[in-house]
């Protein structure tokens, strides 16, 4: 019971055996209900966030898998991603099943994985690299800006790991590398609203504005100094 409570209500037959419970006892228990083969969850456990339970269930029966891609982005709280998808990666062969997107990754190493609230999840650095292969450029930029703004990773760390993974011809490497090159001359935005503004300018083929430009004792969000244009954005966040 304590194990299940610490792992989002999920317990496997393997763990139950280690605790002295037979699979038959687990199946007949009034405290657990079967999710799928060899995986059970506590009856009525935290119905307000079944997504976490589904993630824990997807990781059950293996210690080589981790929550990844869009699901990892949501767990890390990156902008643009909500807890509505179950997506995992594994260094061994793994199959997708209804409701679960599974990726096999031979490049997934222990340094790419961390424990977050009882769930194994790819680090923010690895998550952003994985996202580059499955989402569009604007969604990737929103997540990247969010991570850099909150100091969850750095351009140097992302560039280093990207170089290591690019040797395998990984999808999305060029897209992320282009985004990272922007920070050689500028800084991350201060909010999701500011990121959306940058994308709006790009969409309408405006020259990139200066970010966080000092003007006297103040600092403006965006500016085109040569045009003598300053832009301040006000959103609900502040």
């Amino acid at each position: 019971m304590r194990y299940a409570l610490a792992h989002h209500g999920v317990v496997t037959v393997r763990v139950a055996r280690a605790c002295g419970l037979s699979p038959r006892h687990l199946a007949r228990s009034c405290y657990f209900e079967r999710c799928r083969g060899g995986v059970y969850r506590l009856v009525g456990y935290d119905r307000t966030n079944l997504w976490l339970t589904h993630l824990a269930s997807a990781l059950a029966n293996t210690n080589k898998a981790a929550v990844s891609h869009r699901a990892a982005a949501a767990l890390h709280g990156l902008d643009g991603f909500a807890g509505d998808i179950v997506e995992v990666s594994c260094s061994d062969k793994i199959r997708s099943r209804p409701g679960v997107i599974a990726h096999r990754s031979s490049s997934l190493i222990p340094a790419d994985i961390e424990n977050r609230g009882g769930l194994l999840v790819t680090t923010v650095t690895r998550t952003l690299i994985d996202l580059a292969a499955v989402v569009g450029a604007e969604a990737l930029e929103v997540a990247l800006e969010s991570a850099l703004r909150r100091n969850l990773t750095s351009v140097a760390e992302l560039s280093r790991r990207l170089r290591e993974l690019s040797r395998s011809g990984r999808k999305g490497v060029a897209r992320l590398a282009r985004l990272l090159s922007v920070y050689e001359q500028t800084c991350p935005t201060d909010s999701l609203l500011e990121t959306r503004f940058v994308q709006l300018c790009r969409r309408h083929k405006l020259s990139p504005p200066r970010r966080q430009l000092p003007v006297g004792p103040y600092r403006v969000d965006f500016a085109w100094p040569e045009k003598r244009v300053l832009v301040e954005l006000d959103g609900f966040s502040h």
Side-chain angles (χ1 to χ4, degrees), residues 56-103:
S57 174
L59 297 179
N61 284 328
T62 177
N63 56 4
K64 297 183 178 180
V67 178
S68 65
H69 296 73
R70 288 155 288 202
L75 269 182
H76 288 300
L78 301 185
D79 286 344
F81 294 90
D84 57 1
I85 187 171
V86 177
E87 196 164 10
V88 299
S89 291
C90 186
S91 56
D92 283 346
K93 186 174 181 180
I94 186 170
R95 291 182 179 180
S96 295
R97 61 177 189 274
V100 178
I101 300 173
H103 305 269

Side-chain angles (χ1 to χ4, degrees), residues 91-231:
S91 56
D92 283 346
K93 186 174 181 180
I94 186 170
R95 291 182 179 180
S96 295
R97 61 177 189 274
V100 178
I101 300 173
H103 305 269
R104 185 182 182 186
S105 176
S106 59
S107 63
L108 193 64
I109 60 176
D112 287 328
I113 299 172
E114 64 185 33
N115 189 306
R116 189 176 181 88
L119 292 171
L120 294 181
V121 57
T122 52
T123 62
V124 171
T125 296
R126 179 58 192 252
T127 296
L128 288 166
I129 293 172
D130 288 339
L131 281 178
V134 297
V135 302
E138 289 198 347
L140 177 62
E141 183 179 27
V142 165
L144 174 60
E145 290 275 4
S146 172
L148 294 177
R149 183 186 313 127
R150 295 164 53 199
N151 295 315
L152 300 178
T153 185
S154 67
V155 173
E157 174 62 19
L158 276 164
S159 299
R160 181 194 64 78
R161 192 69 182 108
L162 192 62
R163 284 193 300 271
E164 294 172 351
L165 293 172
S166 64
R167 298 167 191 154
S168 59
R170 187 178 186 83
K171 184 180 177 182
V173 165
R175 175 184 294 168
L176 183 54
R178 281 194 299 272
L179 286 175
L180 290 175
S181 67
V182 170
Y183 302 103
E184 295 174 1
Q185 300 178 345
T186 191
C187 58
T189 60
D190 268 0
S191 67
L192 173 58
L193 179 62
E194 290 187 14
T195 303
R196 294 299 190 195
F197 179 78
V198 169
Q199 294 175 341
L200 182 68
C201 292
R202 187 185 305 126
R203 208 173 296 138
H204 290 276
K205 303 188 186 322
L206 299 177
S207 59
R210 291 272 302 275
R211 302 181 185 184
Q212 307 303 320
L213 181 70
V215 178
Y218 305 104
R219 188 182 65 168
V220 296
D221 294 335
F222 297 102
W224 285 269
E226 68 282 1
K227 302 292 186 182
R228 298 179 63 82
V229 173
L230 307 179
V231 175

Side-chain angles (χ1 to χ4, degrees), residues 10-13 33-41 56-57 60-61:
V10 172
V11 65
T12 65
V13 168
E33 58 187 355
R34 186 174 178 272
C35 296
R36 57 185 176 84
V39 181
Y40 291 78
R41 67 178 169 217
S57 174
N61 284 328

